[in-house]
Amino acid sequence: MVRGTERTPKSLEMEAVAAHRAYVEALAAWEHVFHLASCPVCRPEGLSDEEHVIRCASAETEKERRRIAFRELCDELGYVPSGHGVKLSPAQKHCPGQRVDS
């Protein structure tokens, strides 16, 4: 008998897919923040090294939080869902010094 708080395998799989998407987005955000902190072309003017370190740490923390949530859902599900096409949307702006793969 399924209780109101229990999830079906299908809904649990969809939660895991959504968590994976959130993790991939957080990973991309962390990479972007790290790039801004280390690229002389893209680095915003007027921000101190300390502010960049704080931004990178914050993005890293969020990335890890989402990774853990995804892994916990996969552990509960018993497998890693695949074939759902989780991918990043195209970047809005690219660094002139950074290679962009198509």
Side-chain angles (χ1 to χ4, degrees), residues 4-102:
T5 58
E6 290 182 9
R7 295 174 283 203
T8 66
K10 188 66 174 172
S11 68
L12 185 56
E13 183 173 327
M14 296 317 302
E15 285 182 55
V17 169
H20 185 229
R21 185 171 287 110
Y23 167 60
V24 169
E25 289 171 358
L27 179 60
W30 174 80
E31 288 176 345
H32 179 71
V33 168
F34 184 77
H35 174 78
L36 287 178
S38 58
C39 177
V41 174
C42 298
R43 184 179 174 125
E45 291 184 35
L47 292 177
S48 69
D49 287 342
E50 183 179 334
E51 289 169 318
H52 284 294
V53 168
I54 291 168
R55 285 180 175 193
C56 287
S58 177
E60 172 79 17
T61 299
E62 182 62 12
K63 175 184 69 78
E64 282 302 300
R65 183 188 71 76
R66 291 182 185 192
R67 183 191 63 78
I68 290 167
F70 169 60
R71 292 304 314 163
E72 287 175 352
L73 284 167
C74 289
D75 288 347
E76 186 177 342
L77 185 59
Y79 61 92
V80 177
S82 63
H84 291 279
V86 175
K87 61 183 179 179
L88 294 173
S89 57
Q92 299 287 335
K93 183 178 176 184
H94 298 288
C95 171
Q98 188 178 30
R99 192 180 97 150
V100 178
D101 296 324
S102 298

